[in-house]
């Protein structure tokens, strides 16, 4: 049994939960962070001194934090070979795209775009900053679109950990009020992701509780 600390509306928790759902692992999750609080308690900080979610404990082992590290741990221990290859060169290709998605897509979407559109009061939103952030984001999404058009998935022909790191942002990207250029391959890829039960359950989650009118 895997214990998970983190609210379901956290994008990082959603990536973790999607991974757990895809692998089919038993779990128990505790709502921690944002309006639920609890991430500043002595007990939580003893597990993760950063006070951030998610945190997991697998089989009563030592707590793990940092989403990328947790995903690699779960994939390495429980994932199928297509999802997280054993062969080093093949695994490095998946890892490369997973890191790319985290650094170039997640970091250019979550705070610069999503927070400014959803988690900022309407009268305080900086339209120019949002537009500039979208230019940067769409540069990287164009690269992803070309890669997916060529391969089918982000890191190759099979669904892998890289798709978790990239795809978990797409529900929010396609449902917030922004201008989006046409990325045909990403649009089709996103529609395929919505048909995956674990994606629908753990990623297609309302973020209304995060909205600031």
């Amino acid at each position: 049994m895997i214990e998970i600390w983190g609210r379901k509306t956290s994008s990082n928790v959603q990536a973790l939960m999607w991974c757990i759902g895809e692998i089919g692992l038993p779990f128990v999750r505790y709502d921690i962070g944002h309006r639920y609080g609890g991430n500043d308690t002595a007990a939580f900080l003893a597990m993760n001194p950063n006070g951030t979610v998610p945190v997991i404990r697998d089989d009563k082992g030592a707590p793990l934090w940092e989403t990328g590290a947790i995903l690699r741990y779960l994939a390495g221990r429980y994932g199928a070979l297509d999802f997280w290859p054993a062969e080093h060169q093949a695994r490095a290709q998946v890892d490369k795209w997973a890191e790319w998605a985290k650094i170039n897509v997640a970091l250019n979407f979550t705070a610069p775009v999503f927070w400014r559109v959803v988690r900022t009061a309407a009268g305080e939103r900086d339209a120019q900053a949002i537009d500039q952030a979208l230019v940067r984001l769409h540069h990287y999404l164009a690269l992803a679109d070309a890669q997916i058009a060529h391969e089918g998935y982000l890191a190759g022909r099979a669904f892998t950990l890289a798709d978790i790191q990239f795809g978990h942002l797409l529900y929010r990207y396609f449902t917030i009020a922004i201008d989006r250029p046409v990325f045909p391959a990403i649009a089709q890829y996103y529609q395929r992701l919505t048909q995956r039960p674990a994606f629908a359950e753990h990623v297609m989650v309302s973020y209304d509780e995060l909205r600031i009118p």
Side-chain angles (χ1 to χ4, degrees):
M1 177 69 69
I2 297 176
E3 291 183 281
I4 301 154
W5 288 263
R7 58 185 170 85
K8 66 180 181 180
T9 53
S10 159
S11 61
N12 285 328
V13 173
Q14 289 173 0
L16 165 60
M17 295 306 303
W18 181 17
C19 179
I20 283 177
E22 290 286 349
I23 298 174
L25 299 175
F27 68 90
V28 58
R29 184 183 58 80
Y30 313 108
D31 278 320
I32 293 288
H34 195 56
R35 71 183 180 93
Y36 302 96
N39 55 318
D40 58 353
T41 64
F44 186 83
L45 293 173
M47 294 191 296
N48 180 4
N50 302 288
T52 55
V53 297
V55 174
I56 75 162
R57 179 178 282 136
D58 182 18
D59 196 23
K60 299 183 180 180
L64 292 175
W65 38 270
E66 289 300 331
T67 308
I70 295 171
L71 292 175
R72 288 174 178 83
Y73 166 78
L74 294 175
R77 183 170 185 183
Y78 301 109
L81 292 182
D82 281 349
F83 185 68
W84 189 241
E87 195 277 320
H88 293 299
Q89 287 285 344
R91 180 182 295 183
Q93 292 302 312
V94 174
D95 204 12
K96 173 186 72 177
W97 281 105
E99 282 294 291
W100 177 88
K102 179 180 70 176
I103 294 168
N104 296 300
V105 180
L107 291 182
N108 279 306
F109 172 73
T110 301
V113 178
F114 183 78
W115 286 18
R116 284 175 171 151
V117 172
V118 173
R119 299 183 64 173
T120 302
E124 299 176 5
R125 290 171 196 156
D126 186 335
Q128 183 177 4
I130 293 170
D131 288 343
Q132 291 172 345
L134 285 171
V135 169
R136 290 191 297 273
L137 175 66
H138 288 150
H139 165 75
Y140 292 109
L141 289 186
L143 300 180
D145 192 69
Q147 171 70 3
I148 291 167
H150 184 261
E151 296 288 350
Y153 290 95
L154 189 62
R157 301 293 183 183
F159 178 85
T160 69
L161 185 67
D163 296 294
I164 299 283
Q165 286 281 45
F166 175 68
H168 79 278
L169 299 167
L170 293 181
Y171 172 71
R172 293 183 174 186
Y173 173 75
F174 279 109
T175 56
I176 62 173
I178 56 172
D179 291 328
R180 287 176 291 271
V182 176
F183 294 117
I186 290 178
Q188 293 175 7
Y189 168 84
Y190 171 65
Q191 290 303 314
R192 284 187 283 139
L193 294 184
T194 66
Q195 302 306 306
R196 304 183 77 95
F199 183 90
E201 180 179 358
H202 298 297
V203 179
M204 299 176 73
V205 173
S206 171
Y207 44 82
D208 283 346
E209 70 178 39
L210 305 177
R211 288 188 184 277
I212 298 178

